[in-house]
Amino acid sequence: MKSHTEYLTFTVPKRMDFVNITPQVREVVKRSGVREGLCLVNAMHITASVFINDDESGLHEDYKQWLEKLAPFDPSPTAYRHNRTGEDNGDAHHKRQIMGREVVVAVTEGKLDFGPWEQIFYGEFDGRRPKRVLVKVIGE
Amino acid sequence: MKSHTEYLTFTVPKRMDFVNITPQVREVVKRSGVREGLCLVNAMHITASVFINDDESGLHEDYKQWLEKLAPFDPSPTAYRHNRTGEDNGDAHHKRQIMGREVVVAVTEGKLDFGPWEQIFYGEFDGRRPKRVLVKVIGE
Amino acid sequence: MKSHTEYLTFTVPKRMDFVNITPQVREVVKRSGVREGLCLVNAMHITASVFINDDESGLHEDYKQWLEKLAPFDPSPTAYRHNRTGEDNGDAHHKRQIMGREVVVAVTEGKLDFGPWEQIFYGEFDGRRPKRVLVKVIGE
């Protein structure tokens, strides 16, 4: 069994935004030399997500508005008890639970085994500082 | 290490519905010959989910009503910017994020290692056309 | 390829609560002898979650309040069709979908490959009885 691990770092200028990281993950899979196996991609921070969906800017705006409705940004300690710790990112911990921490993708014949529109995104909910994504490929 | 990949196709007659795909996944695991490993099952389309829960029709109706409340179907381009592209399925991309893209299931002694009520469902949110699910088993 | 499977049992005294199970998972990884691979941790019950987030009690209270808003506890069969079966836990099946069934964690150099604040939680939404969590480690 082969295994290969890399860490990607993203500094997203906005508080909330989505970055298509498919090209970087594809490169990691290539470097792994794995032909058949699984590829785990996960946010290493708990106010960020990795998810798979469409690379369509209108949809991304829809997601942002929807997440803001489900868990609005509000730095006050009455809106989120978490903000009593001095943090202002209580909302980000909630948004991340909706969008998920990780994806596991099949690697088949040396490639990410994707449907026609699948793209991997890093979802940032408390940006403006460097944060890491782990990519691990195992297989043969 | 062994690996085995199959693609299942589902054409769901309704826009939104859930299909118990446990029997099909079980057959793939059997054909894989894997005794100890992991089984990935994921929707290959971004308006569909694979998830694990109860095979109870009342619960499924509850889920549909709840998802409709969280992300209502509305083909208008004002409800979802995504629909400005000519699509009418903005809601489906949101519902899928709640229910998830994939499950990873342990394979132990040649079988899906499940709790008493766990069943795998294909969740369709924009049906009436053939869509694919990937099943990949790796292990020994 | 090595593989190692263990089952953890939790009896949570409250209907809804979160338990940090990172120490137990860490021990399973150690016992597996796997240095490079993947670790799957999943709830074996469909009214419970396994998720990764912060070990901060204020945040956990925020999550509970938020989940209660998204899918309120209500034993009546009009609130949830699922409760027509004699169950009173329709809400718990919904809360679990928000928080997720499982996590897959990279094992690197024999350890859970975590970011600075990542901790694994068992999320109970219908407690007061023993329920199981599966931990499976595969790799080399």
Side-chain angles (χ1 to χ4, degrees), chain C residues 112-125:
Chain C
L112 294 169
D113 196 343
F114 267 162
W117 299 101
E118 288 189 285
Q119 297 282 310
I120 308 173
F121 291 90
Y122 173 66
E124 178 62 85
F125 306 114

Side-chain angles (χ1 to χ4, degrees), chain B residues 78-124:
Chain B
T78 49
Y80 298 99
R81 285 177 192 81
H82 182 57
N83 294 346
R84 292 180 195 169
T85 62
E87 299 274 0
D88 65 358
N89 62 8
D91 67 305
H93 289 273
H94 291 67
K95 286 167 172 133
R96 120 72 170 254
Q97 288 308 119
I98 296 283
M99 298 305 275
R101 168 186 179 261
E102 81 219 6
V103 295
V104 177
V105 184
V107 176
T108 306
E109 297 178 7
K111 289 185 178 159
L112 293 169
D113 196 342
F114 267 162
W117 300 101
E118 287 189 284
Q119 297 281 310
I120 309 175
F121 291 90
Y122 174 65
E124 177 61 85

Side-chain angles (χ1 to χ4, degrees), chain A residues 36-37 52-54 56 58-59 61-63 65-66 98-99 103-104 106-108 113 115 117-118 139-140, chain B residues 1 3 5 7 40 42-44 46 70 80-82 85 93-94 96-98 101-102 104 134 136 138:
Chain A
E36 296 293 329
I52 286 176
N53 217 296
D54 200 359
E56 200 279 294
L59 177 66
E61 285 310 306
D62 291 334
Y63 277 152
Q65 198 174 305
W66 182 64
I98 296 283
M99 298 305 275
V103 295
V104 177
V107 176
T108 306
D113 196 343
W117 300 102
E118 289 189 284
E140 273 187 341
Chain B
M1 203 199 77
S3 83
T5 312
Y7 307 90
L40 167 70
N42 71 266
M44 299 185 79
I46 52 192
L70 289 173
Y80 298 99
R81 285 177 192 81
H82 182 57
T85 62
H93 289 273
H94 291 67
R96 120 72 170 254
Q97 288 308 119
I98 296 283
R101 168 186 179 261
E102 81 219 6
V104 177
L134 180 155
K136 185 153 199 141
I138 71 164

